[in-house]
Amino acid sequence: MIAYLEGRLAETWGNACLIVTEGGVGYEVALPAHTLAALPDRGEPLALYTSLAVREDALELFGFASFEERQTFEVLVSISKVGARTALAILSIFRPDDLRRLVLEDDVLALTRVSGIGKKTAQHVFLELKYKLKVEDVPQAAVLAASGRPGSVFRDVLDGLANLGYAEEECAPLVKKILHEEPDLDVTGALRAALKALAKGRS
């Protein structure tokens, strides 16, 4: 198993790059979109965590900027109906913490944003992720667990605030705090509390 490569960037094309090691060996590595966009200039040092996918007709190497992302890729390809290319497509849209957040918030349909994943496949992948991802590693997992509230309340409140013109990035920390402090709130109560806090913060 080729698990790590260090060398210099020689070329990029499509969703892949060519990394040449000090020994003069070049490896073609497929990358998630965000990693591809953050590559250094040609000739500059490059280090990637990698995973080798073995097929009957080819060997494909996939690269990631972090070990966590590589391990998440391994989790994804362990799911039936998810091949290496589909796993890469998922990680091009969702970072590891994003996937954990989807599990915490029961946001199944978000996976349909990935090309080639329909509603039925998204449900299958989501159920597998619920068992295989370590959601307790995400800070908000502790918040939601402590609140005793299902992720749908959190999601519904954010959706309601979005419909009123508030940005999710601004509202998410506030809603988490509200659900943590008042675990018995329903969607209406949490939304009312969030609006009150937002109005106070902007006054």
Side-chain angles (χ1 to χ4, degrees):
M1 169 66 77
I2 302 172
Y4 180 81
L5 285 176
E6 192 170 319
R8 294 188 179 274
L9 179 65
E11 295 290 343
T12 61
W13 66 93
N15 70 338
C17 75
L18 175 63
I19 180 172
V20 179
T21 66
E22 286 191 5
V25 179
Y27 293 88
E28 177 182 342
V29 188
L31 306 170
H34 58 84
T35 304
L36 190 68
L39 286 175
D41 294 333
R42 289 182 178 86
E44 292 297 313
L46 175 63
L48 295 168
Y49 295 93
T50 60
S51 178
L52 181 64
V54 181
R55 302 202 329 245
E56 289 184 5
D57 58 343
L59 299 176
E60 290 185 295
L61 200 57
F62 296 85
F64 309 95
S66 70
F67 182 72
E68 179 189 29
E69 195 165 41
R70 177 195 181 274
Q71 296 304 94
T72 303
F73 177 83
E74 295 288 338
V75 169
L76 288 169
V77 295
S78 73
I79 298 173
S80 61
K81 301 181 182 179
V82 177
R85 288 287 168 179
T86 299
L88 189 70
I90 291 173
L91 287 172
S92 288
I93 296 178
F94 301 107
R95 303 292 182 91
D97 277 352
D98 293 330
L99 291 174
R100 295 188 185 100
R101 177 179 56 79
L102 297 185
V103 170
L104 285 167
E105 297 171 10
D106 283 330
D107 193 357
V108 182
L109 292 181
L111 289 171
T112 60
R113 290 170 52 193
V114 180
S115 177
I117 294 185
K119 185 175 180 181
K120 187 174 180 180
T121 301
Q123 290 172 336
H124 169 73
V125 173
F126 182 83
L127 288 174
E128 292 280 344
L129 287 177
K130 288 186 74 171
Y131 290 103
K132 295 183 177 182
L133 280 184
K134 295 181 178 180
V135 296
E136 66 271 12
D137 292 341
V138 183
Q140 67 169 297
V143 174
L144 292 175
S147 72
R149 305 302 298 164
S152 58
V153 173
F154 177 83
R155 185 74 256 166
D156 288 347
V157 173
L158 284 186
D159 289 344
L161 291 170
N163 290 335
L164 294 172
Y166 291 95
E168 181 171 329
E169 295 77 12
E170 176 188 9
C171 299
L174 174 63
V175 175
K176 293 174 193 173
K177 183 174 183 290
I178 289 170
L179 290 176
H180 176 66
E181 294 176 348
E182 299 185 69
D184 293 328
L185 285 177
D186 58 9
V187 174
T188 301
L191 183 58
R192 186 181 299 113
L195 287 170
K196 182 177 179 180
L198 286 167
K200 184 178 179 181
R202 292 185 175 184
S203 60

